[in-house]
Every structure is written in structure tokens, then in C-alpha cells.
Amino acid sequence: MKYFCGLDLGASEFKAALVKAQDAQNLELLGVFQTRAMGLKDGSVSDLEDLSQCIKSAVKSVARKFSVEVRALRVGVGADALSVHRSAAVIPLIDAGTKVISPSDIRKVNHQARLLGVDIDEETIHDFPQMYRVDDVNAALNPAGLFGRKLESNILVLAAKANRLRNVVQAVQQAGFEVDRLSCSSYAAAEVVLDKNLKARGCVLVDIGAKLTNVLLFKDGVLRDIQLIPWGGQYVTQTLADRLSLTIEKAEEIKCLHAVAAPGQSAETGDILVLRAKEYVPVSRQSVCEAVHWEIENFL
């Protein structure tokens, strides 16, 4: 029996999740703890002490509840901290004649493409081979076993500034834990919610965060593209606050309890009582829904 702890460093909240694993197929999510994000701004560490305390609080809370000792974390970072690169590399397989392409040849050309695809001050988080070309002719998703004289690899690379990652790792270590793995949070989500058949046929994952929305495109089982939209749940909260003259805190509460994303999903009649200047004032549900619908339609 093994336990794994994941930490998602979002723009507005940090979440720690604890999973019990009997084996790779038998996983049980024991619990999730979330806390307000502090010490991290636009994907970079702004206050090391605040960030480490937030991490410690989130992880200790979920671990204490289930009496589990956590030593290492699998950390998810937002796509706002990452840069997307496309790269290609070619290696000769043999000086004369042809040879059978081996897994080590594939690893070698992918490694070369990774080196060429990132800046000198960046570190690769994920890389996704898109296509291989053998002798400038044969295109293949998996060239192992084919004959050829040279092999080309085209890859998609998700990278981050090395110091950004080092500072995150430093905060985790200062909180008393080691980093087992660093991942892009949206890609980690895709690995959980999308099965192999969906990714093979082609599908899109839309991951809406507080400030950014990540759009991931899959085809032939491979991540083909990732795009960032500068829009998130905080825009809905801000629209509610502006239109209904609410504080951000109250607008967030009403959004979570009463707002719906599309017309007709729930009853829009009646009022919500909102505390203003020591008295409760009615706010119509219809006005809440109209504000949310306008913002969602803009986003779509």
C-alpha cells in the first residue's frame, strides 16, 4: 500500500490531495484540502515564507486527517508559468547503408530536439513527440523497427524558467517536503479525465482557472497544442461585483451558491438576501444569472 500527495498551485487557491494506491489500477482519493493562495504571483514566487507556510498548511491538514506521513509531493504548476515551444532535430543512423531504428535512436533524436527547443535558462517540464520522419519520406508516430539512414523528430515542449522552478522547489523543501515530480496542472488533469480512446480520436480539454483558461488539443493519443486564454472565474466574480454593487467576497459567495452557467439550468426567480450596511437587501436571482450569462457568452 502506497500513499501519494499531490499539490496544485493555482492562481487563487492551493489544493492538496491524498491518494491511496494498492496498485496502478486501484486508486482511492482519500481527501482534498484547499487554502487561499499566498506567496505566488503570475506563476512566480513572490514571498517564499508565505508560499512555504501555505504549502505546509494544506499538506499537513489533509495528511493529519488520515494519519498519513507525507514526505514527498507531486506538484502541479499553472500554464502561466510555462512557455510552449516546437522543435525538430535530425540524427544520422549510419554512415552507409541502412539500419533498423531502435528505441535508443528515438531517445537520442528526442533528446536532441529538446535541447534545441528550449532557451538556455529554461527547463523542460513535458515533451510530446508529434511525428517522426525517416529519410525525409516516411512519416510515423512510432518509427521503431523501420529501416532508415536518418531520423527526424518533431516535438512539442512545455518548459519554464529554471529559476522559477527552483524557487517553487525551494518553497516545498522549506515546508518540510521533497518534490517527487513537477507537472503542468492542466496536462495532469487531462491524464485523469481523458481516456486513451478519446485522445486517439481527437478531443479538447478546457481547463478554466481563476485567471487563465488552458485549452489542450489531443489527436492520435498525443498532445498536439496548448493555448492560453486570459480569462477565468475571477472575471465572473468581478462582473457580479460591479453589476450588483457587491464586495468581491460576497460576489464570490453568490457565484458559488446561486449562479448558473447557462439559461434554463435552474430557476431564475426569487431573491437572494445580501447584507449591506447592517441590513439585508434583496438581490434578484435573475440579475445574478444575467450578469453570469453575459460574461460566459463573452468567454465562449
Side-chain angles (χ1 to χ4, degrees), residues 117-128:
V118 299
D119 295 336
I120 194 169
D121 60 342
E122 288 184 324
E123 185 174 321
T124 298
I125 299 293
H126 300 287
D127 63 271
F128 307 97

Side-chain angles (χ1 to χ4, degrees), residues 5-18 31-37 54-55 58-59 62 73-76 208-210:
C5 188
L7 178 68
D8 180 23
L9 300 176
S12 64
E13 293 179 335
F14 296 160
K15 296 183 179 71
L18 190 65
V32 178
F33 181 85
Q34 65 185 44
T35 184
R36 186 166 66 90
C54 272
I55 292 171
V59 175
V62 73
L73 306 178
R74 301 197 171 194
V75 181
I208 302 175

Side-chain angles (χ1 to χ4, degrees), residues 60 117 163 167 174 188 209 223 244 264:
K60 291 290 187 182
N163 284 336
N167 288 333
Q174 189 166 307
L223 178 66
L244 305 179

Side-chain angles (χ1 to χ4, degrees), residues 177-246:
F177 310 102
E178 294 298 320
V179 175
D180 185 32
R181 181 182 301 171
L182 277 168
S183 301
C184 170
S185 296
S186 294
Y187 179 72
E191 287 292 278
V192 175
V193 303
L194 302 178
D195 63 30
K196 291 182 179 179
N197 291 332
L198 271 177
K199 289 189 284 188
R201 291 198 304 268
C203 62
V204 172
L205 175 78
V206 180
D207 183 11
I208 302 175
K211 296 180 179 180
L212 282 176
T213 294
N214 305 322
V215 182
L216 286 73
L217 171 65
F218 291 86
K219 186 72 170 70
D220 299 320
V222 178
L223 178 66
R224 297 296 186 182
D225 198 12
I226 178 170
Q227 297 286 335
L228 306 185
I229 302 173
W231 187 94
Q234 288 186 359
Y235 285 72
V236 177
T237 304
Q238 188 65 57
T239 296
L240 280 173
D242 294 342
R243 288 197 169 197
L244 305 179
S245 300
L246 302 171

Side-chain angles (χ1 to χ4, degrees), residues 92-100 135 147-150:
L93 297 172
I94 196 168
D95 292 333
T98 60
K99 72 175 290 272
V100 175
D135 296 344
F147 286 91
R149 297 186 61 181
K150 65 178 181 178

